[in-house]
């Protein structure tokens, strides 16, 4: 098979699924809005039930809902009929996902899902199925064509389930007025959370190199060499006067002047870029990038507090 044939197959797959998504978009109606309202007003959590490929989709929907402010839990249909139904409380809402709506496990389960919960919402491609019969609301995910050439592997149908789950999550986010800082609370260990909530203080260097304005070049070299940042801060009682980098030292030496009388104030760069320790780490990264520098002087109430390093932020996923 030629590469062009492979690309053609991929494009055809996407075209089929895009077409089915457009149909789903066009048939959305008040049933979807009612489902969102029921989930939003529930006193309990959302239980998402599925089996087979729908179970994988259900797990993803639960993950998205939990991270966007809608408490949810996945329940596998085959486990539910063997004891796990106890996870459902009367104040919970159930979203059951099944393309056919007539899988044996679903057929055996739907009456319990309805009776044990406050509401049963069915996401199915078959509006005459057992799942549809027992559901208070039906979210219609039928497809005219699966992308699979044998019409066997769930492809378009699972794409619609996934997309409709995202639509539910986003609508609920808006109803809950769920903001970026709320999102970050549920992602403290990932780069998303770190970029949204981490402060400069979280990534401060343990080293705090400094010299006074009247220190000699030797003092400056010792200070810079004593830290791994290639910089020292010129201070006067913690007031920041300037900075000296190893690049400043090299440029001074290249001039060939007598360095025995050169003081820190003679080679420093005045008015260095600074940031408060309580600022977001992302703000520090932006300053570093915009000014093409590797270190930033950190302050507390305007006084010298420490150093934050570009590489440390990159290593921690701040971008």
């Amino acid at each position: 098979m030629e590469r062009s044939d492979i690309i053609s197959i991929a494009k055809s797959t996407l075209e089929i699924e895009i077409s089915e998504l457009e149909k789903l978009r066009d048939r959305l109606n008040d049933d979807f809005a009612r489902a969102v309202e029921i989930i939003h007003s529930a006193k309990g959590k959302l239980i998402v039930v599925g089996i087979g490929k729908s179970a994988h989709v259900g797990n993803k929907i639960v993950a998205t809902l939990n991270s966007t402010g809608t408490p949810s839990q996945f329940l596998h249909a085959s486990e539910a009929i063997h004891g796990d139904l106890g996870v459902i409380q009367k104040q919970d809402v159930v979203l059951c996902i099944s393309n056919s709506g007539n899988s044996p496990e679903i057929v055996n389960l739907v009456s319990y899902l309805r009776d044990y919960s406050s509401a049963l919402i069915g996401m199915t491609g078959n509006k005459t199925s057992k799942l549809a019969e027992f559901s208070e609301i039906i979210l219609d995910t039928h497809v005219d064509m699966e992308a699979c050439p044998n019409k066997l592997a769930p492809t378009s149908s699972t794409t619609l389930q996934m997309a409709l789950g995202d639509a539910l999550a986003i609508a609920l986010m808006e109803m809950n007025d769920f903001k970026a800082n709320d999102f970050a609370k549920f992602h403290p260990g990932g780069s998303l959370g770190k970029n949204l909530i981490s402060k400069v203080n979280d990534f401060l260097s343990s080293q705090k190199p400094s010299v006074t304005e009247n220190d000699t070049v030797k003092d400056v070299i010792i200070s810079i060499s004593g830290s791994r940042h290639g910089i020292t801060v010129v201070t006067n009682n913690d007031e920041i006067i300037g900075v000296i980098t190893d690049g400043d030292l090299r440029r001074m030496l290249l001039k060939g002047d007598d360095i025995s009388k050169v003081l820190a104030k003679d080679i420093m760069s005045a008015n260095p870029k600074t940031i408060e320790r309580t600022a977001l780490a992302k703000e520090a990264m932006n300053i570093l990038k915009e000014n093409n520098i590797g270190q930033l002087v950190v302050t507390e109430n305007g006084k010298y507090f420490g150093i934050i390093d570009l590489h440390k932020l990159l290593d921690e996923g701040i971008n």
Side-chain angles (χ1 to χ4, degrees):
M1 183 179 291
E2 299 293 332
R3 287 185 176 178
S4 58
D5 296 324
I6 295 172
I7 293 172
S8 177
I9 291 169
K11 287 183 177 180
S12 175
T13 300
L14 294 175
E15 286 168 359
I16 292 170
E17 295 194 347
I18 289 169
S19 174
E20 295 296 344
L21 283 168
E22 289 175 339
K23 295 173 190 175
L24 173 64
R25 177 199 62 199
D26 293 342
R27 67 172 176 264
L28 281 181
N29 55 27
D30 283 349
D31 288 338
F32 177 83
R34 286 175 56 220
V36 172
E37 290 167 353
I38 287 173
I39 296 169
H40 180 256
S41 62
K43 292 181 170 58
K45 58 189 175 297
L46 178 67
I47 305 291
V48 180
V49 178
I51 193 165
K53 299 297 188 298
S54 295
H56 297 298
V57 172
N59 271 302
K60 189 273 178 187
I61 291 174
V62 164
T64 300
L65 288 165
N66 279 328
S67 69
T68 53
T70 301
S72 307
Q73 185 171 348
F74 178 73
L75 175 61
H76 198 281
S78 64
E79 300 297 331
I81 57 177
H82 291 287
D84 285 2
L85 269 171
V87 75
I88 304 175
Q89 302 298 306
K90 192 58 185 175
Q91 66 268 28
D92 296 335
V93 173
V94 172
L95 170 65
C96 186
I97 308 172
S98 173
N99 186 41
S100 72
N102 285 322
S103 300
E105 295 86 355
I106 299 298
V107 170
N108 291 334
L109 192 59
V110 285
S111 63
Y112 301 105
L113 296 178
R114 181 190 63 186
D115 294 343
Y116 291 4
S117 65
S118 63
L120 171 60
I121 301 168
M123 184 185 292
T124 181
N126 182 2
K127 296 180 72 173
T128 62
S129 64
K130 200 72 172 177
L131 172 58
E133 177 187 340
F134 278 79
S135 297
E136 181 176 336
I137 298 173
I138 302 169
L139 300 178
D140 182 8
T141 55
H142 85 267
V143 296
D144 295 322
M145 184 181 296
E146 295 282 12
C148 169
N150 297 318
K151 313 306 175 193
L152 297 174
T155 44
S156 301
S157 54
T158 49
T159 297
L160 263 62
Q161 291 171 353
M162 191 88 72
L164 198 55
D166 286 342
L168 285 170
I170 299 305
L172 288 162
M173 279 182 70
E174 293 287 350
M175 291 186 75
N176 290 324
D177 195 29
F178 194 86
K179 302 299 185 184
N181 283 341
D182 299 309
F183 186 83
K185 292 175 185 176
F186 300 117
H187 298 75
S191 61
L192 284 172
K194 287 182 178 179
N195 275 278
L196 288 168
I197 62 174
S198 292
K199 302 294 180 64
V200 167
N201 192 61
D202 298 328
F203 306 111
L204 273 178
S205 170
S206 59
Q207 299 171 322
K208 187 183 174 182
S210 69
V211 294
T212 68
E213 59 183 330
N214 291 316
D215 279 342
T216 65
V217 169
K218 180 179 178 180
D219 296 323
V220 172
I221 293 172
I222 291 172
S223 179
I224 291 178
S225 301
S227 81
R228 62 178 179 274
H229 303 297
I231 190 173
T232 190
V233 181
V234 184
T235 64
N236 181 7
N237 295 324
D238 282 338
E239 292 285 346
I240 299 167
I241 301 174
V243 294
I244 302 173
T245 66
D246 49 11
D248 293 324
L249 286 174
R250 287 194 298 272
R251 284 185 286 274
M252 176 201 66
L253 292 171
L254 286 172
K255 290 181 180 179
D257 297 335
D258 180 7
I259 66 171
S260 62
K261 297 181 181 179
V262 175
L263 302 177
K265 63 184 178 182
D266 299 324
I267 56 173
M268 71 179 188
S269 299
N271 303 314
K273 299 295 180 183
T274 64
I275 192 166
E276 274 285 311
R277 63 187 290 253
T278 55
L280 288 174
K282 186 174 180 64
E283 294 177 23
M285 176 59 84
N286 289 337
I287 294 172
L288 289 164
K289 287 180 176 178
E290 289 170 4
N291 293 277
N292 195 29
I293 52 179
Q295 297 81 29
L296 194 57
V297 179
V298 178
T299 60
E300 182 179 50
N301 298 321
K303 303 282 189 178
Y304 178 39
F305 190 79
I307 296 288
I308 192 166
D309 189 273
L310 171 69
H311 297 291
K312 173 66 173 177
L313 293 177
L314 290 172
D315 290 343
E316 294 291 342
I318 306 298
N319 51 49

